């Protein structure tokens, strides 16, 4: 039996299920070209919009690391620490639609068999803004984009009618998806914000609007830590900071929880998992919860900007996994996708211990050991 890494997701054929997510690794033609040459199955462009975009006067992203010797967490003490997360203060692409359009066309001509998804964003507060969604969708698909990803999750929106503020409003999730679906001739995915109390409601709204897939997670609302010496936030402009987005290893378990809620509620629907993936063992979590593709940002940013080593590891990891699983008869993702989806149950359904084993709920040792003199 031969191993097959290819997947068909929302009707689109990918040579492997690993995509670069919409972020700095996918902000330019040269990056996307290098990504495809490195082996990524698909790329989601940095989000494209029609409103003017000016970023903050300072770094747009930094990496928080843990330093075991001192026990400290910092963004500013060099690469010796262990990566904990990335912090995203970056807006969508500051390049215009006119800049993107010819590039989408050129990339698709150069890589007809690779999948290019255009991430798009507009507002929802007026007919003009809704028309922006239509304009963006039509322009990107006319140049050959294989699909559209609606950014309903940008975390730093002062505007009430955009980004995560759409993703927090079920009616708008449904309405905006429907507006794009009416003009789209390619699959439409919606990237939701994790910053809601019950993401199942927003996912349901996307499907009511006839969306083809839900993508999660974008970065989580968060702040940079405060430097104990200067008492300044480690990322700030003139001493000021606003809420930004957390990505990287620390969000893997958080994003899994959101994803599992959605895949259990809609087991027949399509989901693309994001959050804290740098190797196959992490991607496997999302596949076992039911995702048909996964996307990567932070790990790629730290690996030559587009993740050439990361994608090689993901592909090799999936090959090794399928080779090891030959005895189970598995040759492709569909054979194990969703296998652990039903293992998440209500707390009361978890078995209780027999009295004889009971340690008051703690492990027998470790937790309460006395400090040695
Ligand atoms: C600096 C930075 C910029 C980002 N820009 C976008 C964006 O324009 N559109 C979008 O949908 N997500 C954006 N993201 C979110 C990522 O695509 C991804 O959802 C998130 O980082 C979690 O994945 P990770 O844990 O692999 O980093 C950005 C993330 C970072 C760190």
């Amino acid at each position: 039996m031969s191993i097959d890494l290819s997947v068909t997701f929302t009707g689109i054929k990918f040579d492997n299920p690993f995509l670069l997510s919409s972020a700095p690794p996918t902000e330019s033609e040269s990056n996307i070209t290098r990504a495809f040459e490195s082996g990524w199955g698909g790329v989601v462009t940095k989000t494209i919009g029609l409103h003017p975009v000016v970023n903050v006067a300072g770094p747009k992203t930094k990496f928080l690391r843990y330093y075991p010797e001192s026990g400290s967490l910092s963004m500013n003490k060099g690469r010796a620490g262990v990566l904990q997360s990335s912090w995203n203060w970056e807006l969508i692409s500051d390049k215009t639609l006119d800049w993107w359009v010819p590039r989408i066309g050129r990339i698709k001509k150069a890589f007809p068999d690779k999948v290019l998804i255009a991430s798009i964003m507009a507002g929802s507060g007026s007919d003009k803004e809704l028309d922006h969604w239509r304009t963006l969708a039509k322009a990107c698909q006319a140049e050959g984009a294989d699909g559209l990803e609606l950014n309903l999750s940008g975390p730093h929106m002062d505007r009430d009618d955009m980004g995560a503020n759409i993703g927090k409003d079920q009616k708008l999730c449904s309405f905006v998806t429907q507006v794009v679906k009416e003009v789209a001739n390619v699959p439409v995915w919606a990237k939701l914000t994790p910053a809601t109390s019950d993401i199942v409601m927003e996912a349901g709204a996307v499907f009511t609007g006839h969306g083809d897939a839900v993508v999660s997670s974008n970065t989580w609302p968060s702040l940079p830590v405060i430097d104990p010496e200067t008492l300044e936030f480690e990322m700030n402009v003139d001493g000021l900071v606003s809420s930004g987005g957390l990505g990287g290893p620390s969000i893997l378990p958080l994003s899994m929880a959101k994803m599992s809620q959605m895949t259990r509620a809609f087991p027949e629907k399509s989901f693309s998992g994001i959050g804290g993936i740098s190797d196959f063992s992490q991607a496997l979590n999302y596949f076992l919860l039911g995702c048909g593709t996964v996307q990567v940002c932070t790990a790629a940013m730290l690996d030559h900007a587009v993740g050439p080593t990361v994608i090689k590891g993901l592909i090799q990891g999936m090959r090794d996994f399928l080779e090891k699983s030959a005895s189970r008869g598995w040759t492709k993702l569909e054979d194990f996708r969703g296998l652990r989806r039903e293992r998440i149950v209500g707390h009361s359904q978890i078995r209780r211990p027999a009295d004889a084993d009971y340690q008051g709920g703690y492990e027998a040792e470790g937790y309460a050991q006395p400090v040695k003199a």
Side-chain angles (χ1 to χ4, degrees), residues 187-206:
V188 175
W189 308 352
K191 185 168 176 181
L192 289 179
T193 175
T196 67
S197 53
D198 186 0
I199 198 168
V200 168
M201 303 308 285
E202 288 81 37
V206 167

Side-chain angles (χ1 to χ4, degrees), residues 21-24 45-47 60-61 86-93 119 149 151 153-154 191 217-219 245-249 251 274-277 295-299 301:
S21 70
S22 175
T45 66
K46 176 81 188 160
T47 303
K60 296 178 286 187
T61 187
S86 60
W87 198 68
N88 159 25
W89 211 7
E90 180 178 89
L91 300 173
I92 65 167
S93 177
S119 168
E149 185 178 278
N151 183 335
S153 46
K191 185 168 176 181
S217 282
N218 205 316
T219 48
L246 200 74
I251 72 164
I274 317 184
I277 298 172
Q295 306 185 21
V296 177
C297 166
T298 299
M301 279 197 286

Side-chain angles (χ1 to χ4, degrees), residues 43-91:
V43 159
V44 185
T45 66
K46 176 81 188 160
T47 303
I48 308 166
L50 287 173
H51 57 287
V53 174
V54 181
N55 275 294
V56 296
K60 296 178 286 187
T61 187
K62 277 195 181 183
F63 302 93
L64 185 67
R65 293 186 167 87
Y66 173 65
Y67 299 84
E69 277 170 23
S70 58
S72 62
L73 275 174
S74 174
M75 291 175 162
N76 294 331
K77 289 189 180 160
R79 287 185 163 223
V82 180
L83 181 68
Q84 201 254 1
S85 55
S86 60
W87 198 68
N88 159 25
W89 211 7
E90 180 178 89
L91 300 173

Side-chain angles (χ1 to χ4, degrees), residues 3 35 41 79 88 100-101 145 167 177 212 215 241 284 319 324 338-339 344 371 373:
I3 284 170
R79 287 185 163 223
N88 159 25
W100 274 101
V101 158
T177 307
D212 298 282
V215 181
V241 70
L284 184 58
R319 270 189 205 294
K324 268 195 309 198
L339 218 59
I344 302 128
V371 177

Side-chain angles (χ1 to χ4, degrees), residues 134-150:
R134 299 184 184 102
T135 305
L136 289 160
K138 287 197 264 185
C140 296
Q141 71 188 13
E143 287 298 319
D146 299 285
L148 302 165
E149 185 178 278
L150 313 184

